[in-house]
């Protein structure tokens, strides 16, 4: 099972940081914290656990901070055990291929998204901590201390974890919408931490995935507010304008733009400091750096609320005087939780369920935000694309596991040592870290066996210039060379046809009482099992209207 791990061992961190100053490849070397390995396929660790074969997984800004070691070990979270070793990738949608005996709400074939991290409830810890007792499982105080932890993350072929951590994706949502449930839930949770009122002036700092989704959420919930967006790149300005931003704040002359948009008075001190009297009623800082927080405090009017959404993994030396001088409310927001919904009621629901409902009802559109897709073995290119947004024009970069060659062998190094074929200088080799398709359980006798695909002549990869406004439809078709006699062309919506693997160890991978159907993405079967009854693992509603 191909798995990405992130180990913040001090020796690895120090060596990588030193070499990374002169050699960018140090972050992907054998001694770097990020490692992509083919590990033995483990069994389920508990009777309430499930095995998920991942389909699509996004790259988040917090993942990039950790991979490129943009973190100061003196910050408070760095002392927690969960930050010593982890599996990157929390924006993920996949298909359940195995369930434990005591799993109650999920079944094989369900599509699921990762909703919660380890918490008291998922790990069976009693009594529940204060956060878990309130339903805020992402703020759990003890789940990370449990002896048994989930295996694999979004940047792995499979995830093994308790069913309580998963959210069953409604049938009407496609995989692209499902992989954006997590960042959309982050945006909704932040907006509901302080909901603007009609007529308010709102500023969103940042026009990345979270910033644009925050814009969508505010516009959906409060259409009568005036929204400004601070954007860095031209293509982000285009996106924000199309999504309903009333004003654009440019970084080069941001104070002047804020003054123009709000009518505030600007003052400059003798030492170069500057501030505004007047400004925005609500500010959502989706970047969270020292500079953006410094400016946001000065752009907030007296009594305004600043919601800090973005993550900075560095201690800050910052002037907080506007907090007391103008009584600015500084509010933190992390991930998702339980919200009072519908607005104004006493009923509480999980953020994921609200986002899914808004998408199904057409209140929130999550289309066309995934601009780039890569196979897991292309992780270097994927991370470079996610960090170089000015050149790539990326919004959301994702690992698409349907791009993985179906005939990739588990032992890549053995495949690379194969002798060259007759008449050729070099035999086709599997690229390093090319993740194989896990062994699938045999098809039941009553099920039709899908036909083996006919050989397809590979087409040359088309070349084109990068568009100013990228979209999924613009992506070129990729041709993947695999170490089998045949070649399979993989496209954006192409389903790879392959017969189930018949390795002798297959029978030991699943419980005999569970029928594990092969993933539709690997079987060439149209559809993905989304027509089943909705048995989402959602938190029960509490309270009353």
């Amino acid at each position: 099972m191909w798995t990405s791990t992130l180990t913040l061992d001090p020796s690895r961190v120090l060596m990588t940081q030193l070499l990374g100053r002169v050699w960018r490849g140090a972050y992907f070397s054998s001694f770097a914290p990020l490692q992509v390995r083919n590990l033995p396929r483990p069994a389920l660790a508990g009777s309430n656990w499930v095995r998920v074969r991942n389909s699509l997984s996004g790259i988040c800004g917090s993942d990039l901070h950790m991979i490129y070691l943009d973190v100061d070990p003196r910050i408070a979270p760095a002392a927690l055990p969960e930050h010593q070793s982890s599996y990157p990738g929390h924006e993920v949608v996949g298909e359940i291929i195995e369930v434990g005996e005591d799993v109650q709400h999920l079944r094989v074939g369900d599509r699921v998204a990762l909703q919660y991290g380890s918490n008291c409830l998922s790990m069976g810890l009693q009594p529940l901590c204060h956060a878990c007792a309130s339903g805020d499982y992402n703020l759990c105080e003890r789940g990370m201390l449990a002896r048994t932890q989930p295996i694999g993350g979004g940047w792995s072929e499979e995830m093994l974890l308790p069913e309580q951590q998963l959210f069953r994706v409604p049938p009407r949502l496609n995989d692209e919408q499902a992989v954006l449930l997590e960042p959309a839930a982050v945006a909704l949770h932040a907006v509901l931490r302080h909901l603007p009122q009609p007529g308010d002036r709102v500023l969103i700092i940042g026009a990345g995935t979270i910033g644009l989704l925050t814009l969508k959420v505010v516009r959906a919930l409060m259409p009568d507010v005036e929204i400004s967006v601070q954007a860095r790149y031209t293509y982000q300005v285009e996106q924000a304008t199309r999504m309903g931003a009333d004003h654009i704040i440019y970084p080069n002359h941001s104070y002047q733009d804020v003054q123009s948009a709000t009518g505030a008075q600007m003052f400059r001190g003798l030492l170069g400091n500057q501030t505004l009297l007047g400004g925005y009623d609500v500010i959502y800082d989706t970047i969270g750096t020292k500079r953006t927080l410094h400016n946001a405090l000065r752009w907030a009017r007296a009594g305004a609320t600043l919601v800090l959404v973005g993550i900075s993994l560095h201690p800050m030396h910052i002037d907080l005087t506007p907090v007391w001088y103008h009584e600015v409310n500084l509010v933190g927001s992390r991930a998702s939780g339980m919200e009072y919904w519908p607005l104004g009621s006493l009923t509480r629901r999980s953020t994921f369920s609200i986002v899914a409902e808004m998408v199904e009802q057409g209140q929130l559109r999550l289309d066309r935000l995934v601009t780039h897709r890569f196979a897991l073995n292309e992780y270097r290119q994927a991370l470079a694309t996610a960090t170089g947004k000015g050149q790539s024009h990326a919004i959301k970069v994702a690992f698409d596991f349907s791009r993985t060659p179906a005939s990739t062998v588990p032992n890549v190094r053995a495949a690379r040592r194969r002798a060259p074929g007759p008449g050729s200088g070099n035999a086709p080799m599997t690229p390093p870290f090319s993740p194989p398709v896990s062994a699938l359980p045999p098809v039941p006798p009553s099920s039709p066996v899908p036909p083996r695909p006919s050989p397809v002549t590979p087409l040359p990869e088309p070349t084109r210039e990068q568009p100013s406004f990228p979209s999924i439809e613009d992506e070129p078709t990729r041709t993947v060379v695999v170490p089998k006699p045949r070649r399979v062309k993989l496209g954006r919506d192409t389903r790879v046809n392959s017969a189930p693997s018949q390795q002798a160890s297959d029978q030991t991978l699943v419980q005999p009482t569970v029928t594990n159907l092969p993933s539709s993405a690997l079987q060439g079967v149209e559809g993905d099992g989304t027509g089943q009854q909705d048995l989402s693992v959602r938190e029960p509603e509490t309270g009353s209207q």
Side-chain angles (χ1 to χ4, degrees), residues 365-423:
R365 294 192 59 182
L366 301 182
D367 305 302
R368 299 176 66 86
L369 290 180
V370 178
T371 55
H372 297 74
R373 301 186 182 205
F374 295 88
L376 184 59
N377 60 292
E378 300 172 318
Y379 67 95
R380 296 192 186 194
Q381 301 97 303
L383 295 175
T385 301
T387 54
K389 293 182 179 180
Q391 294 73 37
S392 66
H393 293 187
I395 299 177
K396 175 57 64 178
V397 181
F399 290 113
D400 187 345
F401 289 88
S402 69
R403 295 179 181 268
T404 302
S407 57
T408 303
V409 295
N411 192 340
V412 174
R413 293 180 180 175
R416 289 173 60 85
R417 290 196 296 268
R418 290 181 178 176

Side-chain angles (χ1 to χ4, degrees), residues 79 87 135 138 262 318 361 365 377 387 411 420 425 450 478 526 541:
Y87 297 97
N138 278 326
T262 63
I318 190 170
Q361 295 177 354
R365 294 192 59 182
N377 60 292
T387 54
N411 192 340
R478 296 171 181 261
E526 290 298 328
E541 299 183 357

Side-chain angles (χ1 to χ4, degrees), residues 463-497:
T463 58
R464 61 173 180 81
E465 296 182 357
Q466 174 69 41
S468 60
F469 190 74
S471 67
I472 301 173
E473 288 75 13
D474 294 331
E475 289 188 332
T477 301
R478 296 171 181 261
T479 301
V480 181
V481 180
V482 297
K484 290 288 186 179
R486 60 185 177 88
R487 298 184 178 182
V488 180
K489 176 189 172 191
L490 299 176
R492 177 176 64 87
D493 292 323
T494 302
R495 300 299 179 108
V496 182
N497 297 329

Side-chain angles (χ1 to χ4, degrees), residues 286-300:
T286 69
I287 305 299
T289 63
K290 175 182 176 180
R291 180 180 181 84
T292 60
L293 182 57
H294 172 91
N295 289 335
L297 288 171
R298 283 145 186 79
W299 297 343

Side-chain angles (χ1 to χ4, degrees), residues 201-203 226 228 247 249 255-265 276-281 299-301:
R201 291 191 177 100
V202 176
L203 171 64
E226 184 178 305
S228 299
H247 306 282
I249 308 300
Y255 276 79
Q256 292 84 351
D257 288 344
V258 171
Q259 183 183 26
S260 175
T262 63
Q265 294 181 323
L276 299 175
L277 289 181
Y280 291 99
D281 300 282
W299 297 343
R301 66 159 178 80

